[in-house]
Amino acid sequence: MASNNFVPKWYEETAPQQSYRSLFKWGSLSSFKHPNHRLYALMRDTFDLSNAHFEKPGDLGLERVDLEITIQMEAGHVRYFVDLLGEENVKQDVYRRIRASYGKGMIDQLRLRKKIVENLPDLVLWPETTAQIVGIVSYCDENKIPMYVFGGGSTVTRGMEAVQGGVSLDLSQRFNQIIEINEINQTVTVQAGIWGPALEEALNSARQRLGKKENYSCGHFPQSFEFSSVGGWVVTRGAGQNSTYYGKIEDMVLAQEYVTPRGIFKSVPFPRKATGPDLDQLMIGSEGSFGILTEVTLKIFRYHPENRKYFSYMFRNWEDAMAACREVMQSEVGKPSVFRLSDAEETDVAMKLYGVEGTPADTLLQMLGFERNQKCLLLGTSDGSAAYTKMVNRQIRKICRKYKPFDLSLFNVAQRWEKDRFRDPYMREDMVDYGIVIDTLECGVTWEQMPEVHQYVRQFVKSHENTICMTHLSHAYEQGANLYFIFIRKMNAISEYLELQYGILEHIQTSGAAISHHHGVGKQTSPWLEENIGKFRFDLIRAVKNYLDPNQILNPGGTLGLDMSEAQKNKRWSKDLD
Amino acid sequence: MASNNFVPKWYEETAPQQSYRSLFKWGSLSSFKHPNHRLYALMRDTFDLSNAHFEKPGDLGLERVDLEITIQMEAGHVRYFVDLLGEENVKQDVYRRIRASYGKGMIDQLRLRKKIVENLPDLVLWPETTAQIVGIVSYCDENKIPMYVFGGGSTVTRGMEAVQGGVSLDLSQRFNQIIEINEINQTVTVQAGIWGPALEEALNSARQRLGKKENYSCGHFPQSFEFSSVGGWVVTRGAGQNSTYYGKIEDMVLAQEYVTPRGIFKSVPFPRKATGPDLDQLMIGSEGSFGILTEVTLKIFRYHPENRKYFSYMFRNWEDAMAACREVMQSEVGKPSVFRLSDAEETDVAMKLYGVEGTPADTLLQMLGFERNQKCLLLGTSDGSAAYTKMVNRQIRKICRKYKPFDLSLFNVAQRWEKDRFRDPYMREDMVDYGIVIDTLECGVTWEQMPEVHQYVRQFVKSHENTICMTHLSHAYEQGANLYFIFIRKMNAISEYLELQYGILEHIQTSGAAISHHHGVGKQTSPWLEENIGKFRFDLIRAVKNYLDPNQILNPGGTLGLDMSEAQKNKRWSKDLD
């Protein structure tokens, strides 16, 4: 076995401005997080690599993007947008066009590593007012110009990829204001382009900075929180890591405004009503294909981080752990906020990542017969009033104890997970620098399906030799949960990655799970949507699409499976990427 | 003032079989509940009536329905249905046709009191299988035969009134089975025609009667619980009295099957997903106009009535009481189950109804300065695990105390309300027997709107002299609640009733509230729907309707405002009823 002191040559420089790396890397250009030594050793050994392999990174993508990709759009159209928005709000440079089209999926990174640039909008527009957006939509509809929307850019489903060119509306630039914090209704109304942190910071300090009576929280913290927009949360049906308590985004949205080619959809923030079908729920998850989301009114919650309580338990096996989780969710003892159960393989990795491996706690666990490849880690938090979180944590402890777990709460495992929770994605770049691909797919399951879906999909991933497959349950409900599959593998070609990714989607589909719980469908998962929801419901989506967007200008190119290319239909990439 | 010993000649006989009374009276034919003496005295005095007035009831509707109303349907069509379902499942008698078309709204009762029989289906069908329902829908679509559905018959919005004749499917007869109780997912799947009590009883005794591991509850108890079907709950977006904890029906539905002219809508019971728009929420609340609901999968809850806790507080005024209720809902202390705040006028009536008036508690309240026409009663329950209900009740007490209410919990006010909660509607018949009309309209509001909506609508009702107007808040949320308006008035003509009812709807509309929170729209509230949700969303509903039901055979005649007559459009009844 290789030396324990070796440290790979991780890249630690700020990604150069205007470089490919600046486009594909996660988050801030100067930030990174390296796999710790234990995780590194695991990868090196699993993939049969030597330390030497980690001395010479592959293509780091440091080159400046200096492509010339001429725009296809008629000059008259460009003029229209310049007249409407001003020269400074109509961007034509290739770098910004890539940024508006490529997300943070592994396929985006792999393409950009190889300098494969495709599917760019002709223009990136920075509208500032709803009236301008109405103007853009009308003009595009009249002239059949494809429209895409950029919010935070963290899609992992090719959600905003401008497959048919046209314009991309970057709402994050000038369409990102808080319109109202309503303390009586406990709601916030925002423009769709606002990013998570800007909203959360304003809410957290509403008393001090905005003269409000209370401080608030939006309660929505997806993995991509720091680089995601409220609009993106809504149109994809996203979920935050604390959704078990706060709900998914569709549980938080009270009212919305969309500009569609057919007119303006606008609803009123009633908590509930019985005035026919719920059309807000029809628009949420429409992924930019029914209209341009402009305004959202969300529930907000009182901000009392001091009430947060943590817990973590190690179970002897997956079956016990799942049973305990189900019992927690069905016992009506209130709801935890983060609720995250790792399967055995992920638990072993988590022990490395959250600093448990090698500690006295680890030794104790081994002595008590908690076995590697068997034991499963549950970690979580409770949010709400002090009385509520105290009660919830106590009841969770009571339920878990029936399964004789090891109570790790004293070891601050959940706290350590939380502290770094938005930083883990930075490890992706380190890995891909050395040809190691990591990706995540997720699905919605009922409790009844969970064991089978887990086993079936995992089996497929593990049928690829030398592959790490970690799974966790998160976002739990009385009736089921989300299952996350993370695979890590040394790969030599994009086609190899796609084969594995498509295979997982195929297996999720065959397993009977919902093909996505919160990433959405985009243009990546779209080939599975019709099978997943059935032809009748698929056709119903299409009927609504045809009504709202008769000229098919909104997010065209396969979004929600609506206008897929032949390649997409056949579950293949459109061209050779290797 | 009239003597205190007088007892009106309330009707106490079993309503004769096949009589008009048997059609319009609430509930079991032999049951009744009389207004108690205090309520009686209030009405008598408010309406300037004498005891003598209550010695001679008006038309009791005891006559047998012996109308001949020939059916308009071609003989060939009748033959088709007889062949499909069997002679015994195709009903042509007038009595059954009225029963299938008239609901339990006051307008239904007033018409039947006057023997005004209109809008009957030609046939009442009793399908037993989904295949038969598919056959019926196909045939009706092909032959443009209007279709209506009868579930429990307790609509108060003319929901199932067969305005255009055709067939009415009575699903309560042979399409009322529990298909599966899934204990792992904690769900129940039922045929749409099953009634609340049949479902609840099976769930409550699942261990004993069905060999399940636990007993369950559906958690859904609308006022009409005893005479309502699960299908009716779903298609109207109904709410139970315990909805503050258990949720409205749209929070409980996990999957559905509808037979539409376009094919079969069928969804899978995932707790949440991100596979495009939520089409289940598009179908819920479609009120029979998008398809025939056949199967529903609902959340169920563990049945532990022993954990239920009660509370009741008397506040000094409506403002304090509303503030306390809002604080309870927004403080993240868990949620009460029943949560019902009466305004001052309703409180005064409640004191009579629930036996507080005249007791030492009442005297004490007066001594403490809780004033008539000012004080407001909050009553409620908590459901869930023992730890949860204990915590919730304690926290509610803590919050309420800030407003210095009188704690009535020891006086069992909530328990008394609960005990009789399904019996109150029986009083309607006693009142109408003496020309006193009682009716209820309700709407959804945000907390911010609540004071104004309450005042504005109430003012309108009270502008009619000698009118009792009681309001309560129930079904509460972090962002708002439901407001119920109950009016009681002596009336001489149906037109007088309609003028008041339409006026209230008009005022709810103008106030900015959601025109219904859980009664639905039906054919009664439909003239206000387009204004209430706006033309864009209204047209979107129409577009979906046109796609799913291109021949407009499903619940035609104004449902959801889709194909209103000229009279409906002008917010008028179609003909003179007096």
Side-chain angles (χ1 to χ4, degrees), chain B residues 82 138 205 284 297 319 349 404 459 468 475 478 482 495:
Chain B
V82 168
S138 303
S205 58
I284 299 171
T297 301
E319 291 68 32
V349 175
K404 307 205 187 317
Q459 212 160 43
I468 296 172
H475 317 286
E478 294 92 332
N482 167 254
S495 57

Side-chain angles (χ1 to χ4, degrees), chain B residues 65-80:
Chain B
V65 176
D66 59 358
L67 302 169
E68 290 276 341
I69 302 176
T70 49
I71 71 171
Q72 306 294 315
M73 190 179 282
E74 289 173 27
H77 295 334
V78 178
R79 220 161 30 238
Y80 171 83

Side-chain angles (χ1 to χ4, degrees), chain A residues 222-451:
Chain A
Q223 176 73 71
S224 60
F225 176 69
E226 298 170 297
F227 307 97
S228 63
S229 68
V230 171
W233 301 347
V234 174
V235 300
T236 57
R237 290 195 163 261
Q241 292 171 339
N242 299 55
S243 76
T244 303
Y245 177 73
Y246 290 108
K248 268 188 83 188
I249 198 70
E250 61 261 42
D251 304 307
M252 299 176 167
V253 171
L254 289 153
Q256 305 167 92
E257 182 186 77
Y258 289 82
V259 178
T260 84
R262 182 68 75 172
I264 293 179
F265 177 104
K266 194 165 178 66
S267 53
V268 182
F270 298 119
R272 287 287 184 280
K273 54 193 182 300
T275 53
D278 188 339
L279 300 176
D280 275 293
Q281 292 293 337
L282 181 68
M283 302 303 284
I284 299 172
S286 58
E287 302 199 2
S289 68
F290 286 178
I292 310 292
L293 177 61
T294 47
E295 285 182 22
V296 188
T297 301
L298 295 173
K299 278 187 184 187
I300 52 177
F301 302 86
R302 298 194 183 167
Y303 182 57
H304 288 295
E306 72 278 11
N307 295 342
R308 177 166 294 170
K309 294 211 179 308
Y310 299 83
F311 57 84
S312 49
Y313 297 94
M314 187 67 79
F315 290 87
R316 285 171 193 276
N317 57 58
W318 179 238
E319 290 69 32
D320 278 5
M322 269 192 299
C325 288
R326 178 161 77 86
E327 185 70 13
V328 166
M329 294 310 301
Q330 296 181 341
S331 291
E332 305 187 43
V333 294
K335 285 180 182 174
S337 185
V338 168
F339 197 59
R340 185 182 168 109
L341 170 66
S342 297
D343 76 349
E345 188 163 351
E346 185 171 286
T347 296
D348 289 338
V349 175
M351 297 281 285
K352 298 178 197 300
L353 265 178
Y354 308 132
V356 184
E357 197 176 275
T359 66
D362 187 23
T363 316
L364 192 53
L365 277 168
Q366 288 175 35
M367 283 171 50
L368 292 171
F370 286 80
E371 289 175 35
R372 214 180 111 81
N373 291 325
Q374 285 290 329
K375 63 183 187 295
C376 290
L377 175 67
L378 171 68
L379 62 79
T381 67
S382 299
D383 282 319
S385 64
Y388 183 87
T389 60
K390 191 175 152 194
M391 188 272 299
V392 168
N393 260 41
R394 188 184 293 162
Q395 296 304 312
I396 288 177
R397 190 185 318 133
K398 226 167 159 176
I399 291 167
C400 286
R401 275 187 182 163
K402 292 187 206 165
Y403 298 89
K404 306 204 189 315
F406 185 78
D407 189 339
L408 277 163
S409 302
L410 284 177
F411 296 90
N412 294 334
V413 179
Q415 287 89 330
R416 265 182 271 181
W417 169 83
E418 185 183 57
K419 187 166 160 278
D420 247 22
R421 64 174 167 166
F422 297 133
R423 297 191 48 76
D424 289 342
Y426 283 102
M427 291 192 288
R428 295 183 344 155
E429 278 63 74
D430 280 0
M431 295 185 191
V432 185
D433 286 348
Y434 291 99
I436 297 168
V437 170
I438 178 168
D439 200 14
T440 303
L441 290 154
E442 51 81 31
C443 59
V445 294
T446 63
W447 290 113
E448 193 175 29
Q449 294 176 311
M450 198 176 295

Side-chain angles (χ1 to χ4, degrees), chain B residues 106-335:
Chain B
M106 185 47 64
I107 189 64
D108 301 308
Q109 169 154 184
L110 294 179
R111 283 186 290 174
L112 289 172
R113 291 259 181 185
K114 289 204 164 211
K115 303 184 178 52
I116 298 170
V117 170
E118 54 183 350
N119 301 334
L120 300 193
D122 290 317
L123 305 177
V124 179
L125 307 179
W126 292 5
E128 191 171 357
T129 67
T130 305
Q132 286 174 348
I133 295 174
V134 170
I136 298 168
V137 171
S138 303
Y139 189 83
C140 287
D141 188 44
E142 218 166 278
N143 295 283
K144 300 202 169 54
I145 299 169
M147 291 187 68
Y148 299 87
V149 177
F150 177 91
S154 58
T155 179
V156 290
T157 64
R158 304 175 62 211
M160 70 226 182
E161 191 168 327
V163 175
Q164 298 187 6
V167 298
S168 175
L169 278 62
D170 182 348
L171 298 186
S172 70
Q173 298 294 335
R174 310 200 186 285
F175 201 78
N176 55 18
Q177 299 302 301
I178 294 178
I179 297 169
E180 189 202 5
I181 295 174
N182 185 319
E183 293 202 270
I184 300 178
N185 295 340
Q186 264 190 214
T187 57
V188 65
T189 303
V190 297
Q191 291 181 319
I194 192 171
W195 280 24
L199 172 59
E200 185 65 15
E201 281 160 32
L203 291 173
N204 287 176
S205 58
R207 212 165 46 213
Q208 300 88 322
R209 279 169 48 190
L210 306 167
K212 299 288 177 185
K213 287 188 187 147
E214 301 264 356
N215 290 329
Y216 299 97
S217 170
C218 72
H220 190 83
F221 306 101
Q223 177 73 72
S224 60
F225 177 69
E226 299 169 297
F227 307 97
S228 63
S229 69
V230 171
W233 301 347
V234 174
V235 300
T236 57
R237 290 196 162 259
Q241 292 170 336
N242 300 53
S243 77
T244 302
Y245 176 74
Y246 290 108
K248 266 188 84 187
I249 197 71
E250 60 261 43
D251 303 306
M252 299 176 167
V253 171
L254 290 153
Q256 305 167 91
E257 183 186 76
Y258 289 82
V259 178
T260 84
R262 184 67 73 171
I264 294 179
F265 177 104
K266 193 167 178 67
S267 53
V268 181
F270 298 119
R272 286 289 181 279
K273 55 192 183 301
T275 54
D278 188 338
L279 300 176
D280 275 293
Q281 291 293 338
L282 181 67
M283 302 302 285
I284 299 171
S286 60
E287 304 198 2
S289 67
F290 287 178
I292 308 293
L293 177 61
T294 47
E295 285 182 21
V296 188
T297 301
L298 295 174
K299 279 187 182 186
I300 52 177
F301 301 86
R302 298 194 183 166
Y303 183 56
H304 288 294
E306 71 278 11
N307 295 342
R308 176 166 296 172
K309 295 212 177 308
Y310 299 83
F311 56 86
S312 49
Y313 297 95
M314 187 67 80
F315 291 87
R316 283 171 195 276
N317 57 58
W318 179 236
E319 291 68 32
D320 278 6
M322 267 192 300
C325 288
R326 179 163 76 86
E327 185 69 14
V328 166
M329 293 312 298
Q330 296 182 341
S331 291
E332 305 188 43
V333 295
K335 287 179 180 173

Side-chain angles (χ1 to χ4, degrees), chain B residues 406-425:
Chain B
F406 186 78
D407 189 341
L408 277 163
S409 302
L410 284 175
F411 297 90
N412 295 333
V413 179
Q415 288 89 330
R416 264 181 272 181
W417 169 84
E418 185 182 58
K419 186 166 160 279
D420 246 23
R421 65 174 168 168
F422 297 132
R423 296 191 49 75
D424 288 344

Side-chain angles (χ1 to χ4, degrees), chain B residues 342-355:
Chain B
S342 297
D343 76 348
E345 186 162 352
E346 185 171 287
T347 296
D348 288 338
V349 175
M351 298 281 284
K352 299 177 196 299
L353 265 178
Y354 309 133

